[in-house]
Amino acid sequence: MSKRKFELTLDYAKKMDQEDELKSFRDRFYVKEGQIFMDGNSLGLCSKDAENSLLNMLNVWKKEAINIWGTEDGKYLNYSEYLAGKIAPLLNADANEIAVVGSTTMNVHQAISTFYKPTKDRYKILVDDLNFPTDRYAVDSQIRLKGLKVEDALKVVKSKDGVMIDEDTVIDAMTDDVALVLLPSVLYRSSQLLDMKKITNAAKERGIYIGWDLCHSIGAISHDFKDIDPDFAIWCNYKYLSGGPGATAGLFINKKHFNKHAGLAGWFGNNDKTQFQLNHEFDQDKTAKGWQTGTPNLLSMAPIEGTLNMYKEAGMDKIRKKSLQITAYLMYLIDEKLSKYGFRVGNPREDEKRGGHVCLIHDDAYRINSALKNNGVIPDFREPNVIRLAPIALYTSYEDVYKLIEITEKIMENKEYENFTNERSVVV
Ligand SMILES: Cc1ncc(COP(=O)(O)O)c(C=O)c1O
């Protein structure tokens, strides 16, 4: 439980903003006047830094045309490696263990097709039932590609309460027939942060490969992959990292696996020295580059450069520190001001067990979410009763959080949410 002490007034929120060591970053983001943006865990805000790195990329293309590939010592030809160098500190991994490539979903396919080699005795993939569904779709299709049946080869750890995953239940499910485990680091709905070290160790002790989906933790929490030592990880760069809608994603391949064949091979995974010889025999690079596939999507990668530079300036430790502080403040205000309207906090309270968003629960969450949007707040709704609120360390202020609570109180007092329908729209 957080030991932090807060106060209820607006002056206090303003004082917290004054004392915020990251406060200067807010001006570098396109924060809309009059809007309270709480959805950076879905799609992070655009920053001027990201805009500039994208414009720079366009300018290099304009100026250099096809010579873009050779300019600046091959920076753009090797742009995945260039960005990997900037992501490495966020994971405490070696830069050559990271590829910036594909989408999160495609990287699940890439990793599973690399690591999943079912045998008669070890043929199951272990997953949980609360992960974001795309991971499951990819896993199921990989099982089918091996000629196996999902009913036989997929093992699903069920959450006991539909909200959290019990780590010991996951470990107990690591039986001798399990070949591979894929789990989310932070659950997208409840914000639960799993003990990655404990679960990874348990998998290793049992000879099981393990990979993590970091979509809801990268850029929100500090990772220490030298210590955790997972086999692989995948993530998107568009949530906390604000790399832009559909930004090229990330893939971590532990260096002890550099000798493995990439499940999905392509010419950008070829060793630099022979790539342009265009031989028909794939000469796979012996780093994570070996898992790159086609020509890098420079325009979907460039914005990431700008935001990663900000991450370097700010430092991941300060980012996590503020994230913990501002989410604790939000939970405090929910407890103090919103519980009387039937709200409760649905995420774990302990710092080491929660990610970067707060999970606000209410029986009428869908309509309240709509009313919040109508009042200039951008949260998001997740079935069945969750409003996700993500104050982002680099651009959300304590005053934003204060006002969010004030608006929610107003909506509940005047029952404004009753004017909205419970019928679900296509994108929420
Ligand atoms: C845990 C997790 N994995 C994957 C995705 C999405 O995958 P992709 O980036 O391929 O759309 C999301 C999207 O919110 C997610 O929360």
Side-chain angles (χ1 to χ4, degrees), residues 73-86:
D73 284 334
K75 170 177 169 183
Y76 301 106
L77 186 71
N78 302 308
Y79 203 44
S80 166
E81 289 97 310
Y82 179 80
L83 294 180
K86 295 178 185 288

Side-chain angles (χ1 to χ4, degrees), residues 314-329:
M316 201 51 234
D317 289 345
K318 283 187 188 159
I319 287 170
R320 175 62 169 160
K321 191 171 146 213
K322 172 164 173 199
S323 168
L324 284 172
Q325 180 81 355
I326 196 165
T327 47
Y329 174 61

Side-chain angles (χ1 to χ4, degrees), residues 114-133:
T114 299
F115 286 91
Y116 181 47
K117 306 285 171 213
T119 62
K120 201 165 113 319
D121 298 324
R122 245 188 218 280
Y123 59 96
K124 292 196 175 172
I125 298 185
L126 184 67
V127 297
D128 68 287
D129 69 343
L130 296 181
N131 198 355
F132 193 78

Side-chain angles (χ1 to χ4, degrees), residues 103-105 131-132 134-135 188 213 215-216 236 238-239:
S103 64
T104 322
T105 308
N131 198 355
F132 193 78
T134 203
D135 291 26
Y188 78 96
D213 180 333
C215 278
H216 287 274
C236 64
Y238 53 75
K239 295 180 186 294

